[in-house]
Amino acid sequence: GAVVSQHPSRVICKSGTSVKIECRSLDFQATTMFWYRQFPKQSLMLMATSNEGSKATYEQGVEKDKFLINHASLTLSTLTVTSAHPEDSSFYICSAGRVAQGPDTQYFGPGTRLTVL
Amino acid sequence: AQSVTQLDSQVPVFEEAPVELRCNYSSSVSVYLFWYVQYPNQGLQLLLKYLSGSTLVKGINGFEAEFNKSQTSFHLRKPSVHISDTAEYFCAVRSSNTGKLIFGQGTTLQVKP
């Protein structure tokens, strides 16, 4: 099956700093990547959809300037949490898919736990 | 717009007993339906999916689900659970005209010895 990795798996940072999370599709080319946020004991909330080579599409209520998404290649998307604050602490999960090739080709990464002190 | 409701937030069950996790959805367009499992501090693993065709779909780890269009449901079942099935289960819907997955609130399956 297709493998998606995320790096780092855990990160702790100080309030006011920026954190970059990488999402890579290891054995396939991902035309679309999705970023989700999950609070403890809650469901996944879609933050944004990114297509390779174009700007990300953010969901309503998600700050574009706060959560910078870059999808520079077919195997890599990055999420940068800028000027992080404790309320940004969460579990961030990416998924990668080849949407044009069918509705079931979306594969999830293992997640990144961000803790902002 | 699509939405997904998982009717039970927690389901405790004894080992080797059958289990059903309920999921209802709403959508004005045709959808694809998924069940995912999440173990602690991990990402999501696809259990099974309904795209078209037979309404009874079988997945990994002995799970199956039945798509019921008239009741807009996609309940997950397993005839005999194991301790290792203890996890969070998410039902998700994906519309046929977008690539977005909309998740339900999740159901915690707790299998007791």
Side-chain angles (χ1 to χ4, degrees), chain A residues 98-111:
Chain A
R98 295 172 289 192
V99 176
Q101 294 190 16
D104 59 337
T105 52
Q106 190 174 146
Y107 306 97
F108 285 81

Side-chain angles (χ1 to χ4, degrees), chain A residues 51-64:
Chain A
N51 293 294
E52 186 267 338
S54 63
K55 290 184 178 181
T57 302
Y58 290 81
E59 296 299 301
Q60 191 173 6
V62 178
E63 299 177 60
K64 301 179 183 180

